[in-house]
Amino acid sequence: MPRKKLSEYRAKILVNGALGISYVGWTVSSLDDVDAIEGYDTYVVKVDQAVKGRFKKGLVLLDVKRGGLGTAVKALLGKGYNSLIVEPQLDHDQKAERYLSLLRNRAGYKIAFSAHGGVDVESKSDAIETFALTDNFDWDTLAKKTGIAADKLQTLLDVFKANHFAFLEINPYVLEGKSLKILDIAIEVDDAGQYFTQLWGGDDIRTPNTLSESEQYIRELNDNSPASFSLTVLNPDGAIFLLLSGGGASIVIADEVYNVGLGDKLANYGEYSGNPNTDETYTYTKQVIKLILASKAPQKVLFIGGAVANFTDIANTFAGIIRAIDETAVDLQKHHVKVYVRRGGPNQEIGLEKIKIALEEHAILGGVYDPHTSITDALGYALESLKAKKK
Amino acid sequence: MIDIQKFRLTEAQIVVLGSHPQIIQSMLDYDFLAKRQQPSVVAIIATGRKQERYFWGETEVIIPVVSNLSLLREAKRKTITAVLNVQSARRVLSSTKQAIELLPQLQVVTIFAEQTPESHTLDLIELVADKNILITGPASVGLLVPGYLKLGAIGGTQHRQLSDADILDSGNTAVVSTSGGMVNELIHTVTGAGIGVSFAVALGGDRFPITSPAQAILLAEKDKQTKRIVYFGELGGSDEYEIAELLTSKKLTKELIVYIAGTVAELFEEPPQFGHAKAMAQTYDESATAKKKILKKAGAVVCETFADMRTFLEKRVEGERSPVKRTIGSRQRSMIVSHISGEKDETVRLLGKDLIETVEGNSVASLVLSMLLGQQVTSKKAIAFVDYVFRLLMDHGPYVSGALNTIVAARAGKDLVSSLSAGLLTIGPRFGGAINAAADGWLSGVAGEVSAQEFVESFARRGEVISGIGHKKYHIDLPDPRVKALVGFAGNSNGDRYLQFARSIEAITTTKKSNLILNVDGAIAAILLDILESEFDYDQQQLHELVEIEFFNALFVLSRSVGFTAHYLDQRRHDEGLLRLSPGDVRYIG
């Protein structure tokens, strides 16, 4: 659905390949992969997981000799990352660094160039020139400016279009005589286009975060279902737990927690949507409850919420949630968890009635509200319960 | 740009690309509650069936299904004003393009699928740029114009949701949302405050919604019924800067009340990607906080909470609103549908009239043809033809395999139904099934506009015989008298084009072998096609459908049943005991 980042390794293979430049590099996800690396004296080892500001975070190791590769790889994997890239270290003149990027926006495609590239290109943004790629674009002028041949630039655009790239940044590249040397590349792809391309696949997508066990579990649930699920743990010892439905409503509810100044108490963010089945909401709820029980916060509240659904069946989705609550009710009680619910949509009467009965039976009922109570008010009652207990 | 008022002035005729029964039912429920006389959905594009059944209030209606939009009759295509596209994201571009090409009166499209590639969306943006077509989506739950149109899941999918939501008649507040769930929440917030909705649209949470928020807000500005706009946006992208620009440049003069979601992103270490594709802020400008600030500065009412929005809207209430309340009672889906007969007001009805009335007004042949076609026929010519064919096909001697099987069973002491079934079960591709196959051949030959030469050669290449051609006994110098009699029914207003085609095939095949003449099956098929086309205005698609459901074989099966039954009774009357082959009848090799 969204834009995703390709691994640096895949991006370099793709772009160098398209421009007919030879490229040497290795992708490394375990110590065993180091064995295959050979042919150079000095290497650079980098985390290849779409992390911003790698240099500053110490995720790029320079001047690594062949014998030191194992240690370097071990060090970076030890920080919780699982994807690295190793390349021969090649020296170049930093002053000659240039910048080129391609992007797609609503109006079409744009190309940007700066003769002053490198890590701090954004601070020299005045030097960046942007060109809209219209049908009668003057490629020759751009070729003169960039030092890259017109046909190569056009090839780059073709590859970009045909393979559902959304953003491509070459920063920096240098010209050595007539030959072009690309030092770093970043590509964002539109992951909805994956079906239509052979040049990249799901394995090439990188995310910066190292995932916790629960987050990983929900990602797999998401990948194997036509419905969608997401979960991010913000504060493992938080007091406010959210079990939300709907892309828009879930942000609204999380926002309203943050906007009243309780962001530090917010344990998680996440949502399910697209009418998941009962087993799926059961699985999702179990993971959220696991987080609740693991939190060391003295008071805890679970808010099960969403807007007025158009087609997601409330009775069905709640059936899974209720099953998970039934199974863990004793523990939830022990942890003095109160549960608040606010939801509307198809079969809301049945869903809300059933969850109310279940919560009452387990003595963990905070409140159950239908759309006549606004999201804000229902959430307010839940947050209020935390304060009340403090006294 | 399209005018929302247009949707209030034209009664929408909707075709649904793909099928989503839950959503389609909700659209029909809305139509019914909003007192439309006929359902808005007039066709569904899907495979594997010819119709779908839905509730219309407490009764049922049928919506025709075709497998491709191009198969929808052109006259019907010209009436279509709206499309709901619920096909998968992979097919969004091609199916939407096709709809725009084939539907000249198209005004609005809703694209439901998530995960449409950005470049496909951009192609569609370019395609409709110079057309008067509003497209909501991708990933849109649709467009609602209260009292007039519900295109998509918007507003809910249960009739109770719809009747409870106060969205059956028009108000003065437009609702524009990038989120599908939130559009419904906003509708509830507006109506809950005591204000009616002028229209509501979900634009979808993709990076490039085909109708952008600013464009949707301009629709509201232009709409005379709309007094104010409620907008839900999210972090990510720069749409809200365009909206702010509309305010500062006075292109937008109506009151704008907004909620921008996404401040919680500040809690995350890396910029989080929320549920919608667009909902990610890489820079401060794209953050919810920055957007709220710029909109406030431009003069929008920026709500911090949903409770704020409700409170604000309550201040805008002018007078008591008495929402239209209508409900749908209990209803039950019937198991089958029949167009032939059934009970109504405790009398049995056949072909739309009282049973006795129908029986007394029809001969056997006219009743047979009427029932087989599912409509009362009056064409004298058609009835006379069927009468003749019915008599002609009754029997062809005990030699043929079906009659023989009936006789074998009868001699084995089996009862009437078993013996008749033994004969009927023999009817198939080699015995008795040729009329349908011949009709298929003549129909596809004429429809495909192939020459007789090509037609014959295509069969020869496949090593297949041409159904309707060839006879054991009769040949070109000894013509089949039955065929001669049948041809007496030619002279139809379509110029007998099927018979002409069959004759042109015969002209070629008889040069190869003199007995490859047009036979009874081939002649019946051709003349029946000519009669159906001339007397009943059947088009080729309808004729093809009759072939598919084996209509052309039905006449043979019915008529020959008389013959089988006669042979059964004959054998039982003069019972000779079990029939067994003698050793001389079987040659054993081994």
Side-chain angles (χ1 to χ4, degrees), chain B residues 447-494:
Chain B
E449 291 168 357
V450 292
S451 70
Q453 195 71 38
E454 285 169 77
F455 186 83
V456 173
E457 265 163 32
S458 72
F459 274 84
R461 259 201 312 278
R462 294 195 303 267
E464 288 172 11
V465 297
I466 303 172
S467 289
I469 293 288
H471 197 276
K472 245 189 166 54
K473 203 171 81 191
Y474 299 114
H475 51 85
I476 195 153
D477 299 317
L478 178 62
D480 188 336
R482 297 172 301 173
V483 171
K484 205 175 150 200
L486 285 167
V487 171
F489 288 91
N492 287 293
S493 61
N494 70 339

Short mmCIF file of all heavy atoms in Angstrom, two decimals, chain B residues 447-494:
data_model
loop_
_atom_site.label_atom_id
_atom_site.label_comp_id
_atom_site.label_asym_id
_atom_site.label_seq_id
_atom_site.Cartn_x
_atom_site.Cartn_y
_atom_site.Cartn_z
N ALA B 447 -22.31 -15.02 -37.05
CA ALA B 447 -21.81 -13.96 -36.15
C ALA B 447 -20.36 -13.63 -36.46
O ALA B 447 -19.95 -12.48 -36.44
CB ALA B 447 -21.95 -14.41 -34.70
N GLY B 448 -19.57 -14.68 -36.73
CA GLY B 448 -18.15 -14.46 -36.99
C GLY B 448 -17.90 -13.97 -38.40
O GLY B 448 -16.79 -13.64 -38.77
N GLU B 449 -18.95 -13.91 -39.22
CA GLU B 449 -18.86 -13.45 -40.59
C GLU B 449 -17.73 -14.15 -41.36
O GLU B 449 -16.97 -13.52 -42.08
CB GLU B 449 -18.72 -11.93 -40.66
CG GLU B 449 -20.01 -11.25 -40.23
CD GLU B 449 -19.84 -9.77 -40.00
OE1 GLU B 449 -18.71 -9.27 -40.13
OE2 GLU B 449 -20.85 -9.13 -39.70
N VAL B 450 -17.65 -15.47 -41.16
CA VAL B 450 -16.65 -16.22 -41.92
C VAL B 450 -17.29 -16.71 -43.21
O VAL B 450 -18.51 -16.86 -43.28
CB VAL B 450 -16.11 -17.43 -41.11
CG1 VAL B 450 -15.31 -16.98 -39.93
CG2 VAL B 450 -17.24 -18.35 -40.67
N SER B 451 -16.48 -16.95 -44.20
CA SER B 451 -17.02 -17.48 -45.44
C SER B 451 -17.34 -18.96 -45.23
O SER B 451 -16.82 -19.60 -44.33
CB SER B 451 -16.00 -17.32 -46.57
OG SER B 451 -14.92 -18.20 -46.35
N ALA B 452 -18.24 -19.47 -46.09
CA ALA B 452 -18.62 -20.87 -45.99
C ALA B 452 -17.39 -21.76 -46.13
O ALA B 452 -17.22 -22.75 -45.43
CB ALA B 452 -19.66 -21.20 -47.06
N GLN B 453 -16.50 -21.35 -47.04
CA GLN B 453 -15.26 -22.09 -47.26
C GLN B 453 -14.43 -22.22 -45.98
O GLN B 453 -14.04 -23.31 -45.57
CB GLN B 453 -14.44 -21.36 -48.34
CG GLN B 453 -13.32 -22.18 -48.93
CD GLN B 453 -13.84 -23.29 -49.83
OE1 GLN B 453 -14.81 -23.10 -50.55
NE2 GLN B 453 -13.24 -24.46 -49.74
N GLU B 454 -14.22 -21.08 -45.34
CA GLU B 454 -13.44 -21.09 -44.09
C GLU B 454 -14.12 -21.95 -43.03
O GLU B 454 -13.47 -22.66 -42.27
CB GLU B 454 -13.33 -19.66 -43.52
CG GLU B 454 -12.36 -18.75 -44.23
CD GLU B 454 -12.53 -17.31 -43.74
OE1 GLU B 454 -12.05 -17.02 -42.64
OE2 GLU B 454 -13.18 -16.51 -44.45
N PHE B 455 -15.45 -21.83 -42.97
CA PHE B 455 -16.22 -22.57 -41.98
C PHE B 455 -15.99 -24.07 -42.15
O PHE B 455 -15.67 -24.78 -41.19
CB PHE B 455 -17.70 -22.22 -42.13
CG PHE B 455 -18.60 -22.82 -41.08
CD1 PHE B 455 -18.76 -22.19 -39.85
CD2 PHE B 455 -19.29 -24.00 -41.32
CE1 PHE B 455 -19.59 -22.73 -38.89
CE2 PHE B 455 -20.12 -24.55 -40.34
CZ PHE B 455 -20.27 -23.91 -39.14
N VAL B 456 -16.14 -24.53 -43.36
CA VAL B 456 -15.97 -25.97 -43.63
C VAL B 456 -14.53 -26.39 -43.32
O VAL B 456 -14.29 -27.42 -42.69
CB VAL B 456 -16.33 -26.30 -45.10
CG1 VAL B 456 -15.99 -27.75 -45.43
CG2 VAL B 456 -17.81 -26.03 -45.35
N GLU B 457 -13.58 -25.55 -43.74
CA GLU B 457 -12.18 -25.93 -43.52
C GLU B 457 -11.82 -25.99 -42.04
O GLU B 457 -11.04 -26.84 -41.62
CB GLU B 457 -11.26 -24.95 -44.26
CG GLU B 457 -10.88 -25.51 -45.62
CD GLU B 457 -10.33 -24.44 -46.53
OE1 GLU B 457 -9.68 -23.51 -46.02
OE2 GLU B 457 -10.56 -24.54 -47.76
N SER B 458 -12.41 -25.08 -41.25
CA SER B 458 -12.07 -25.10 -39.83
C SER B 458 -12.53 -26.41 -39.19
O SER B 458 -11.88 -26.94 -38.30
CB SER B 458 -12.67 -23.89 -39.12
OG SER B 458 -14.06 -24.03 -39.00
N PHE B 459 -13.66 -26.95 -39.67
CA PHE B 459 -14.11 -28.23 -39.14
C PHE B 459 -13.19 -29.35 -39.61
O PHE B 459 -12.82 -30.23 -38.84
CB PHE B 459 -15.55 -28.52 -39.58
CG PHE B 459 -16.58 -27.91 -38.66
CD1 PHE B 459 -16.97 -26.60 -38.82
CD2 PHE B 459 -17.13 -28.66 -37.63
CE1 PHE B 459 -17.91 -26.03 -37.96
CE2 PHE B 459 -18.08 -28.10 -36.77
CZ PHE B 459 -18.46 -26.78 -36.94
N ALA B 460 -12.81 -29.28 -40.88
CA ALA B 460 -11.94 -30.32 -41.44
C ALA B 460 -10.60 -30.34 -40.70
O ALA B 460 -10.08 -31.40 -40.36
CB ALA B 460 -11.73 -30.06 -42.93
N ARG B 461 -10.07 -29.14 -40.43
CA ARG B 461 -8.79 -29.05 -39.71
C ARG B 461 -8.86 -29.72 -38.35
O ARG B 461 -7.94 -30.38 -37.92
CB ARG B 461 -8.41 -27.58 -39.53
CG ARG B 461 -7.37 -27.08 -40.51
CD ARG B 461 -6.67 -25.82 -39.98
NE ARG B 461 -7.61 -24.82 -39.50
CZ ARG B 461 -8.24 -23.95 -40.30
NH1 ARG B 461 -8.04 -23.98 -41.59
NH2 ARG B 461 -9.08 -23.06 -39.80
N ARG B 462 -9.99 -29.51 -37.67
CA ARG B 462 -10.13 -30.09 -36.33
C ARG B 462 -10.57 -31.56 -36.40
O ARG B 462 -10.71 -32.20 -35.37
CB ARG B 462 -11.17 -29.29 -35.52
CG ARG B 462 -10.74 -27.86 -35.22
CD ARG B 462 -11.61 -27.25 -34.11
NE ARG B 462 -13.03 -27.26 -34.44
CZ ARG B 462 -13.67 -26.23 -35.02
NH1 ARG B 462 -13.01 -25.14 -35.33
NH2 ARG B 462 -14.95 -26.30 -35.26
N GLY B 463 -10.83 -32.05 -37.60
CA GLY B 463 -11.28 -33.43 -37.76
C GLY B 463 -12.66 -33.65 -37.17
O GLY B 463 -12.97 -34.73 -36.67
N GLU B 464 -13.51 -32.62 -37.22
CA GLU B 464 -14.85 -32.75 -36.65
C GLU B 464 -15.89 -32.77 -37.76
O GLU B 464 -15.68 -32.20 -38.82
CB GLU B 464 -15.15 -31.56 -35.71
CG GLU B 464 -14.37 -31.62 -34.41
CD GLU B 464 -14.52 -30.35 -33.59
OE1 GLU B 464 -15.38 -29.52 -33.93
OE2 GLU B 464 -13.76 -30.20 -32.62
N VAL B 465 -17.03 -33.43 -37.48
CA VAL B 465 -18.12 -33.38 -38.46
C VAL B 465 -18.95 -32.13 -38.18
O VAL B 465 -19.00 -31.65 -37.06
CB VAL B 465 -19.02 -34.64 -38.40
CG1 VAL B 465 -18.22 -35.88 -38.74
CG2 VAL B 465 -19.64 -34.76 -37.01
N ILE B 466 -19.60 -31.63 -39.24
CA ILE B 466 -20.43 -30.45 -39.08
C ILE B 466 -21.83 -30.91 -38.69
O ILE B 466 -22.49 -31.61 -39.46
CB ILE B 466 -20.48 -29.63 -40.39
CG1 ILE B 466 -19.05 -29.25 -40.82
CG2 ILE B 466 -21.35 -28.39 -40.21
CD1 ILE B 466 -18.99 -28.62 -42.19
N SER B 467 -22.28 -30.53 -37.51
CA SER B 467 -23.61 -30.93 -37.08
C SER B 467 -24.65 -30.30 -37.99
O SER B 467 -24.55 -29.13 -38.34
CB SER B 467 -23.86 -30.47 -35.64
OG SER B 467 -23.08 -31.23 -34.77
N GLY B 468 -25.66 -31.11 -38.38
CA GLY B 468 -26.70 -30.59 -39.26
C GLY B 468 -26.45 -30.90 -40.72
O GLY B 468 -27.24 -30.56 -41.58
N ILE B 469 -25.30 -31.51 -40.98
CA ILE B 469 -24.93 -31.87 -42.35
C ILE B 469 -24.75 -33.39 -42.43
O ILE B 469 -24.13 -33.98 -41.55
CB ILE B 469 -23.61 -31.17 -42.77
CG1 ILE B 469 -23.79 -29.66 -42.88
CG2 ILE B 469 -23.06 -31.75 -44.08
CD1 ILE B 469 -24.61 -29.20 -44.07
N GLY B 470 -25.29 -34.01 -43.49
CA GLY B 470 -25.03 -35.44 -43.74
C GLY B 470 -26.22 -36.34 -43.40
O GLY B 470 -26.92 -36.10 -42.41
N HIS B 471 -26.45 -37.30 -44.25
CA HIS B 471 -27.50 -38.28 -43.97
C HIS B 471 -27.06 -39.65 -44.48
O HIS B 471 -26.34 -39.77 -45.47
CB HIS B 471 -28.81 -37.86 -44.62
CG HIS B 471 -29.98 -38.57 -44.03
ND1 HIS B 471 -30.39 -39.82 -44.44
CD2 HIS B 471 -30.82 -38.22 -43.02
CE1 HIS B 471 -31.43 -40.21 -43.72
NE2 HIS B 471 -31.71 -39.25 -42.84
N LYS B 472 -27.50 -40.70 -43.80
CA LYS B 472 -27.13 -42.06 -44.18
C LYS B 472 -27.71 -42.43 -45.54
O LYS B 472 -27.04 -42.96 -46.40
CB LYS B 472 -27.65 -43.03 -43.13
CG LYS B 472 -26.53 -43.72 -42.39
CD LYS B 472 -27.06 -44.83 -41.52
CE LYS B 472 -25.93 -45.71 -41.07
NZ LYS B 472 -24.82 -45.01 -40.41
N LYS B 473 -29.00 -42.12 -45.69
CA LYS B 473 -29.75 -42.64 -46.82
C LYS B 473 -29.89 -41.60 -47.94
O LYS B 473 -29.63 -41.87 -49.10
CB LYS B 473 -31.14 -43.05 -46.32
CG LYS B 473 -31.83 -44.08 -47.19
CD LYS B 473 -33.10 -44.59 -46.48
CE LYS B 473 -34.25 -43.61 -46.69
NZ LYS B 473 -35.43 -43.86 -45.85
N TYR B 474 -30.28 -40.39 -47.53
CA TYR B 474 -30.59 -39.38 -48.54
C TYR B 474 -29.30 -38.74 -49.07
O TYR B 474 -28.30 -38.64 -48.36
CB TYR B 474 -31.51 -38.30 -47.96
CG TYR B 474 -32.83 -38.85 -47.50
CD1 TYR B 474 -33.19 -38.84 -46.15
CD2 TYR B 474 -33.73 -39.40 -48.43
CE1 TYR B 474 -34.39 -39.35 -45.73
CE2 TYR B 474 -34.94 -39.92 -48.01
CZ TYR B 474 -35.28 -39.89 -46.65
OH TYR B 474 -36.47 -40.41 -46.25
N HIS B 475 -29.36 -38.31 -50.32
CA HIS B 475 -28.21 -37.61 -50.91
C HIS B 475 -28.73 -36.58 -51.89
O HIS B 475 -29.95 -36.41 -52.05
CB HIS B 475 -27.24 -38.60 -51.56
CG HIS B 475 -27.90 -39.56 -52.51
ND1 HIS B 475 -28.16 -39.25 -53.81
CD2 HIS B 475 -28.39 -40.81 -52.29
CE1 HIS B 475 -28.76 -40.28 -54.38
NE2 HIS B 475 -28.91 -41.24 -53.49
N ILE B 476 -27.79 -35.97 -52.56
CA ILE B 476 -28.16 -34.80 -53.35
C ILE B 476 -29.21 -35.11 -54.43
O ILE B 476 -30.05 -34.27 -54.75
CB ILE B 476 -26.87 -34.16 -53.95
CG1 ILE B 476 -27.17 -32.75 -54.47
CG2 ILE B 476 -26.27 -35.01 -55.05
CD1 ILE B 476 -25.96 -31.86 -54.43
N ASP B 477 -29.19 -36.33 -54.94
CA ASP B 477 -30.18 -36.69 -55.96
C ASP B 477 -31.45 -37.29 -55.36
O ASP B 477 -32.45 -37.45 -56.04
CB ASP B 477 -29.58 -37.68 -56.96
CG ASP B 477 -28.38 -37.06 -57.65
OD1 ASP B 477 -28.49 -35.87 -58.03
OD2 ASP B 477 -27.34 -37.74 -57.75
N LEU B 478 -31.36 -37.62 -54.10
CA LEU B 478 -32.53 -38.16 -53.41
C LEU B 478 -32.74 -37.34 -52.14
O LEU B 478 -32.34 -37.73 -51.06
CB LEU B 478 -32.30 -39.64 -53.05
CG LEU B 478 -33.42 -40.35 -52.28
CD1 LEU B 478 -34.72 -40.40 -53.07
CD2 LEU B 478 -32.97 -41.76 -51.88
N PRO B 479 -33.31 -36.14 -52.28
CA PRO B 479 -33.38 -35.22 -51.12
C PRO B 479 -34.35 -35.74 -50.05
O PRO B 479 -35.29 -36.47 -50.36
CB PRO B 479 -33.90 -33.92 -51.73
CG PRO B 479 -34.17 -34.16 -53.17
CD PRO B 479 -33.93 -35.59 -53.49
N ASP B 480 -34.06 -35.33 -48.86
CA ASP B 480 -34.85 -35.71 -47.69
C ASP B 480 -36.19 -34.96 -47.77
O ASP B 480 -36.22 -33.73 -47.74
CB ASP B 480 -34.08 -35.31 -46.42
CG ASP B 480 -34.76 -35.83 -45.16
OD1 ASP B 480 -35.98 -36.09 -45.20
OD2 ASP B 480 -34.05 -35.96 -44.14
N PRO B 481 -37.30 -35.67 -47.87
CA PRO B 481 -38.59 -34.97 -48.01
C PRO B 481 -38.92 -34.12 -46.78
O PRO B 481 -39.63 -33.11 -46.89
CB PRO B 481 -39.59 -36.12 -48.17
CG PRO B 481 -38.90 -37.34 -47.65
CD PRO B 481 -37.44 -37.13 -47.87
N ARG B 482 -38.42 -34.50 -45.61
CA ARG B 482 -38.71 -33.72 -44.39
C ARG B 482 -38.06 -32.35 -44.47
O ARG B 482 -38.62 -31.35 -44.06
CB ARG B 482 -38.21 -34.48 -43.16
CG ARG B 482 -38.90 -35.83 -42.95
CD ARG B 482 -38.25 -36.62 -41.84
NE ARG B 482 -36.83 -36.86 -42.12
CZ ARG B 482 -35.99 -37.41 -41.26
NH1 ARG B 482 -36.38 -37.75 -40.04
NH2 ARG B 482 -34.73 -37.59 -41.59
N VAL B 483 -36.83 -32.33 -44.99
CA VAL B 483 -36.13 -31.05 -45.11
C VAL B 483 -36.89 -30.14 -46.07
O VAL B 483 -37.07 -28.95 -45.82
CB VAL B 483 -34.68 -31.26 -45.60
CG1 VAL B 483 -34.02 -29.93 -45.93
CG2 VAL B 483 -33.87 -32.01 -44.55
N LYS B 484 -37.38 -30.75 -47.14
CA LYS B 484 -38.14 -29.98 -48.12
C LYS B 484 -39.37 -29.34 -47.45
O LYS B 484 -39.69 -28.16 -47.66
CB LYS B 484 -38.59 -30.92 -49.26
CG LYS B 484 -38.83 -30.19 -50.55
CD LYS B 484 -39.15 -31.18 -51.66
CE LYS B 484 -40.07 -30.51 -52.67
NZ LYS B 484 -40.77 -31.48 -53.48
N ALA B 485 -40.05 -30.13 -46.62
CA ALA B 485 -41.22 -29.61 -45.93
C ALA B 485 -40.86 -28.48 -44.97
O ALA B 485 -41.55 -27.45 -44.88
CB ALA B 485 -41.91 -30.75 -45.18
N LEU B 486 -39.75 -28.67 -44.24
CA LEU B 486 -39.32 -27.65 -43.27
C LEU B 486 -39.00 -26.33 -43.97
O LEU B 486 -39.33 -25.25 -43.47
CB LEU B 486 -38.07 -28.14 -42.50
CG LEU B 486 -38.33 -29.21 -41.42
CD1 LEU B 486 -37.00 -29.82 -40.98
CD2 LEU B 486 -39.06 -28.62 -40.23
N VAL B 487 -38.36 -26.44 -45.12
CA VAL B 487 -37.94 -25.23 -45.82
C VAL B 487 -39.16 -24.38 -46.24
O VAL B 487 -39.05 -23.18 -46.48
CB VAL B 487 -37.04 -25.61 -47.03
CG1 VAL B 487 -36.76 -24.41 -47.92
CG2 VAL B 487 -35.72 -26.18 -46.50
N GLY B 488 -40.33 -25.02 -46.25
CA GLY B 488 -41.56 -24.27 -46.48
C GLY B 488 -41.77 -23.15 -45.47
O GLY B 488 -42.54 -22.23 -45.70
N PHE B 489 -41.09 -23.23 -44.33
CA PHE B 489 -41.21 -22.19 -43.30
C PHE B 489 -40.21 -21.05 -43.50
O PHE B 489 -40.11 -20.16 -42.67
CB PHE B 489 -41.06 -22.78 -41.91
CG PHE B 489 -42.25 -23.61 -41.49
CD1 PHE B 489 -42.29 -24.98 -41.74
CD2 PHE B 489 -43.35 -23.03 -40.86
CE1 PHE B 489 -43.39 -25.75 -41.36
CE2 PHE B 489 -44.44 -23.79 -40.47
CZ PHE B 489 -44.47 -25.15 -40.73
N ALA B 490 -39.43 -21.10 -44.56
CA ALA B 490 -38.48 -20.00 -44.83
C ALA B 490 -39.28 -18.77 -45.27
O ALA B 490 -40.51 -18.79 -45.30
CB ALA B 490 -37.49 -20.44 -45.89
N GLY B 491 -38.55 -17.71 -45.62
CA GLY B 491 -39.23 -16.47 -45.99
C GLY B 491 -39.40 -15.56 -44.79
O GLY B 491 -40.39 -14.87 -44.66
N ASN B 492 -38.42 -15.60 -43.92
CA ASN B 492 -38.48 -14.75 -42.72
C ASN B 492 -37.90 -13.37 -43.00
O ASN B 492 -37.12 -13.18 -43.94
CB ASN B 492 -37.73 -15.42 -41.58
CG ASN B 492 -38.50 -16.61 -41.04
OD1 ASN B 492 -39.57 -16.45 -40.46
ND2 ASN B 492 -37.99 -17.82 -41.27
N SER B 493 -38.27 -12.42 -42.11
CA SER B 493 -37.91 -11.02 -42.38
C SER B 493 -36.41 -10.76 -42.26
O SER B 493 -35.93 -9.72 -42.66
CB SER B 493 -38.68 -10.10 -41.45
OG SER B 493 -38.33 -10.40 -40.11
N ASN B 494 -35.65 -11.70 -41.69
CA ASN B 494 -34.20 -11.47 -41.61
C ASN B 494 -33.51 -11.97 -42.88
O ASN B 494 -32.29 -12.13 -42.91
CB ASN B 494 -33.61 -12.15 -40.36
CG ASN B 494 -33.59 -13.67 -40.48
OD1 ASN B 494 -34.34 -14.25 -41.27
ND2 ASN B 494 -32.75 -14.31 -39.70
#
